[in-house]
Amino acid sequence: MSLNSDDPNQYAEIYNGSENTNKRIRILDSTLREGEQHPGISFTVKQRIQIAWLVDSFGVDQIEISPIVSRDHAEATKTIINQRLRADILAHVRAIKSDVDVAIDCGATWVATYMGISDIHLSSKLKITREEAKIRALEVVDYIKSHGLKARFTMEDASRTDPRFLIDMCREINRLGIERISIPDTVGIMRPRGMYNLVKMVCESIDMSKSSVDVHCHNDIGLALANSLSGCDAGADQIHTTIDGLGERTGIPTLAETAVALTLLYKTKNDLRLHMLKDLSRTISQYTGLQTPLSKPIIGDSAYKHKAGTHLAAILRNPAAYEILDPRTVGNRRKIVFGELAGKNGAAYLLSILGLDTNVHDAEALARGLKHLRMGDVLELYLDEHLERKILNDAAPKLS
Ligand code: HCA
Ligand code: CU
């Protein structure tokens, strides 16, 4: 960490600490699988192929898709596998041999299989005993491995599973030489410390030279990304995301927030093309017809919008006063709102960009006028590159 007196984030970095920074944390994007489980979403085959291309060129490590949902899901899976993208393509199926056969028919080289192993999933969903679940899981993993394929096994509802049974399952599956084990917080009930303890327990129970651990955290209380990062602090090395966080109910971590957290806070080595983030979100929203909330971090339209007069005054001198990164880094734009809170500094700036004199009297008069504006008729401006340069070079207009 460099203590450069010009770096406004330097003290925050001291509190964040350097534990696990630089550790390579991978991203699996599940927009095509978990994302399609979001109410009202169903992509066309062509859209699925385009999404795979996009997240691959963004730089994720793995892409997950379910071939068993329908014929056209299988077709999309097959076509995407044939594209020979850089990311691994995982066919996500139930822990049932006939499902694995569908994945194999699609030409999968990676199969991700899942089974609910908490007592409530075993009794209410699968209607089998723990012993039967274990036999089924081991047979399926064995079956995938006997085809020479790479495999992941998901301990669905891990956070609500009896730890003794969870450890037993993880050990047995690890012994079969599975490449990855996914530990999901399927219902989003963990707090960060809980996810840490859960993942640590799993990592300490298995031979990590054989299997690596994924975290898949649901956002029911809004803690999905915090919990995922905590799981990585405890030993996992891959986070599941979707574009805009789409998924069952309230979804999982967004690709954008995860990618920025890893790059900015964890300084994890990667070649993610962060500047694609806003466009990825825009494309998905066109495909789904769902509007991305304005306040969504990183890619929301208000993510770099400044309104209060005190904020404007500072932003006009140095945007880092209220921004942790340059919005262009993530393909977004800074916006200034000239409304009832703009104050005389904001008003003076508005006058200057309109090519008018910036004297105190006019600025105050304009600020008073702006006070009468209410939501809806507020003036909102993007700063084009010329104006952005002007801000940084000239700082705020001087009030004469
Ligand atoms: C599901 C369950 C899952 C699986 C996660 C994973 C979960 O909807 O099928 O395979 O890592 O949240 O447990 O999404
Ligand atoms: Cu899930």
Side-chain angles (χ1 to χ4, degrees):
M1 179 186 54
S2 66
L3 273 185
N4 171 352
S5 61
D6 292 337
D7 177 1
N9 300 338
Q10 61 183 320
Y11 301 116
E13 288 186 4
I14 295 177
Y15 298 122
N16 278 335
S18 55
E19 195 195 348
N20 282 330
T21 56
N22 290 321
K23 169 179 162 178
R24 168 101 167 91
I25 299 173
R26 302 150 46 98
I27 296 181
L28 173 145
D29 188 80
S30 187
T31 305
L32 296 175
R33 199 276 300 170
E34 178 80 51
E36 270 209 49
Q37 289 179 222
H38 191 77
I41 296 186
S42 175
F43 299 120
T44 65
V45 172
K46 196 167 158 206
Q47 287 171 341
R48 289 188 197 112
I49 297 164
Q50 278 164 340
I51 292 167
W53 273 91
L54 286 171
V55 291
D56 183 61
S57 60
F58 174 74
V60 304
D61 299 278
Q62 300 199 317
I63 295 171
E64 188 176 76
I65 180 165
S66 172
I68 50 160
V69 182
S70 72
R71 270 262 210 63
D72 66 72
H73 281 82
E75 186 192 328
T77 307
K78 223 179 268 179
T79 313
I80 292 167
I81 290 170
N82 280 333
Q83 310 288 302
R84 309 244 167 272
L85 300 177
R86 203 175 58 156
D88 302 322
I89 309 299
L90 276 72
H92 192 262
V93 298
R94 291 169 298 182
I96 302 175
K97 281 185 190 167
S98 55
D99 273 21
V100 174
D101 288 335
V102 175
I104 294 172
D105 283 346
C106 291
T109 54
W110 264 97
V111 180
T113 180
Y114 68 98
M115 180 188 276
I117 60 160
S118 60
D119 291 334
I120 185 162
H121 277 224
L122 290 175
S123 64
S124 316
K125 191 172 73 171
L126 301 173
K127 301 185 179 65
I128 53 176
T129 63
R130 288 184 184 180
E131 210 37 52
E132 285 164 337
K134 190 161 124 186
I135 293 168
R136 190 188 286 184
L138 294 179
E139 272 178 11
V140 168
V141 173
D142 218 26
Y143 187 64
I144 301 171
K145 288 270 125 209
S146 71
H147 284 83
L149 304 174
K150 295 191 172 152
R152 187 186 91 213
F153 191 92
T154 297
M155 308 287 171
E156 189 186 359
D157 211 15
S159 48
R160 296 194 302 169
T161 299
D162 178 343
R164 289 164 305 180
F165 185 52
L166 177 62
I167 290 176
D168 185 28
M169 286 284 282
C170 289
R171 279 206 181 116
E172 294 282 347
I173 277 172
N174 174 240
R175 213 169 279 142
L176 295 180
I178 197 157
E179 278 75 12
R180 307 197 69 91
I181 295 176
S182 174
I183 300 296
D185 178 21
T186 305
V187 295
I189 199 171
M190 287 284 98
R191 61 188 258 199
R193 180 186 290 248
M195 196 64 196
Y196 182 92
N197 292 335
L198 168 61
V199 173
K200 191 151 187 65
M201 180 189 80
V202 168
C203 291
E204 283 172 351
S205 314
I206 60 171
D207 175 354
M208 299 262 319
S209 69
K210 283 196 189 138
S211 320
S212 305
V213 173
D214 287 38
V215 278
H216 176 107
C217 298
H218 274 266
N219 210 26
D220 296 69
I221 308 186
L223 291 172
L225 177 56
N227 288 341
S228 302
L229 292 169
S230 204
C232 289
D233 282 342
D237 76 342
Q238 182 158 270
I239 297 178
H240 293 194
T241 69
T242 58
I243 299 173
D244 280 11
L246 299 171
E248 285 282 353
R249 308 181 307 281
T250 54
I252 64 172
T254 76
L255 177 61
E257 289 161 41
T258 307
V260 169
L262 293 182
T263 308
L264 194 68
L265 306 183
Y266 279 69
K267 320 236 175 286
T268 179
K269 301 247 173 317
N270 61 51
D271 24 78
L272 300 173
R273 294 186 168 156
L274 297 181
H275 64 272
M276 291 176 67
L277 285 170
K278 175 75 184 168
D279 269 344
L280 284 172
S281 165
R282 218 179 261 133
T283 305
I284 282 298
S285 153
Q286 274 162 9
Y287 289 175
T288 60
L290 297 177
Q291 229 194 341
T292 306
L294 301 179
S295 60
K296 201 95 169 150
I298 316 295
I299 44 77
D301 277 348
S302 299
Y304 305 96
K305 199 180 275 181
H306 305 283
K307 182 174 171 194
T310 50
H311 288 228
L312 294 192
I315 281 284
L316 295 174
R317 291 190 175 85
N318 186 349
Y322 285 103
E323 287 173 359
I324 55 169
L325 51 80
D326 181 337
R328 281 171 302 195
T329 322
V330 292
N332 207 340
R333 301 291 299 267
R334 173 176 306 126
K335 284 184 199 160
I336 306 273
V337 181
F338 296 102
E340 76 280 15
L341 300 181
K344 87 175 176 272
N345 284 294
Y349 187 66
L350 180 55
L351 288 172
S352 84
I353 54 183
L354 295 175
L356 300 169
D357 265 0
T358 53
N359 62 69
V360 180
H361 179 74
D362 287 349
E364 282 175 350
L366 178 56
R368 272 196 303 279
L370 289 172
K371 274 207 186 303
H372 297 299
L373 295 180
R374 287 292 172 267
M375 290 298 287
D377 49 9
V378 164
L379 194 56
E380 202 180 283
L381 297 181
Y382 278 120
L383 300 182
D384 68 13
E385 270 180 38
H386 168 73
L387 284 173
E388 297 233 306
R389 260 201 312 277
K390 188 168 152 63
I391 289 183
L392 297 171
N393 294 338
D394 310 353
K398 312 251 173 327
L399 286 172
S400 55

